[in-house]
Amino acid sequence: MRPRFTVLAALATGIGLGLAGCGHQPAVTSHARQEGLATVSASEADPASAWTEGYCGAAGGLVRTLATLPSVDPSTPQQASRTSSELMTSVVEGLDRTSAAFENLGPAPVTGGDTSRTAAVAQLAGIRARADDVRHRLDSSSDPEATKTALRDARTSLDELDRLDLLRGLNDVPQLAAASSRIPICQELVKQPR
């Protein structure tokens, strides 16, 4: 199960053009109410499903962030640098929100869930640190060669996000893998683009 990050390919192309120039889905809810009588969803009745739904919701937040990233304007080296910095700021903010959502999940109800979440947060933290470093270099660079290097590194950060598989950890835990196969938000994350 790997979330779709196809929007990153277009953004990476924009950054590539910048280098050449330098020389929401709505939230899914599991609650249903009919005439004042609440019904309990499968995820509410099963702690593993509820936790998995929260995990997929956190991963979905990053997908939504990446789908709405600002465009890179490669018309001039200065524009490419400025708009790439804005893009990297959005990436850093999205990674921060996603990490916070994972942290706020609470303990996993099954063995292995916390390990999967910890690994996902560590991956996000590494990418975030590199993206933030790129952003700072883009903001402070006045040297064309340093700008080109920072733009290449921005593209590398986007490629790293494209390879990220936040849902892999769920597959490693049988109860969570089974739960994710029944939860709409999890299934939405793994649908192939048409």
Side-chain angles (χ1 to χ4, degrees), residues 69 84-94 131-132 135 139:
L69 287 176
S84 292
S85 175
E86 291 169 359
L87 181 139
M88 297 313 288
T89 297
S90 294
V91 166
V92 166
E93 291 169 354
D132 200 37
R135 181 183 61 83
D139 289 344

Side-chain angles (χ1 to χ4, degrees), residues 152-171:
R152 271 191 224 100
D153 291 345
R155 183 176 182 157
T156 299
S157 291
L158 292 176
D159 289 344
E160 196 174 4
L161 275 171
D162 191 39
R163 290 187 303 271
L164 186 63
D165 187 358
L166 292 176
L167 301 182
R168 186 180 78 211
L170 294 180
N171 281 337

Side-chain angles (χ1 to χ4, degrees), residues 39-59:
T39 60
V40 177
S41 73
S43 65
E44 291 170 328
D46 173 23
S49 292
W51 193 87
T52 301
E53 185 173 30
Y55 187 101
C56 290

Side-chain angles (χ1 to χ4, degrees), residues 40-128:
V40 177
S41 73
S43 65
E44 291 170 328
D46 173 23
S49 292
W51 193 87
T52 301
E53 185 173 30
Y55 187 101
C56 290
L62 182 58
V63 171
R64 285 186 296 280
T65 293
L66 297 176
T68 60
L69 287 176
S71 299
V72 173
D73 178 358
S75 60
T76 67
Q78 296 79 15
Q79 279 295 93
S81 181
R82 184 185 64 72
T83 56
S84 292
S85 175
E86 291 169 359
L87 181 139
M88 297 313 288
T89 297
S90 294
V91 166
V92 166
E93 291 169 354
L95 290 168
D96 286 343
R97 283 189 302 274
T98 302
S99 292
F102 278 126
E103 295 288 342
N104 291 330
L105 269 177
V110 298
T111 303
D114 289 324
T115 302
S116 296
R117 176 183 49 195
T118 300
V121 170
Q123 284 181 309
L124 295 174
I127 295 169
R128 186 223 183 271

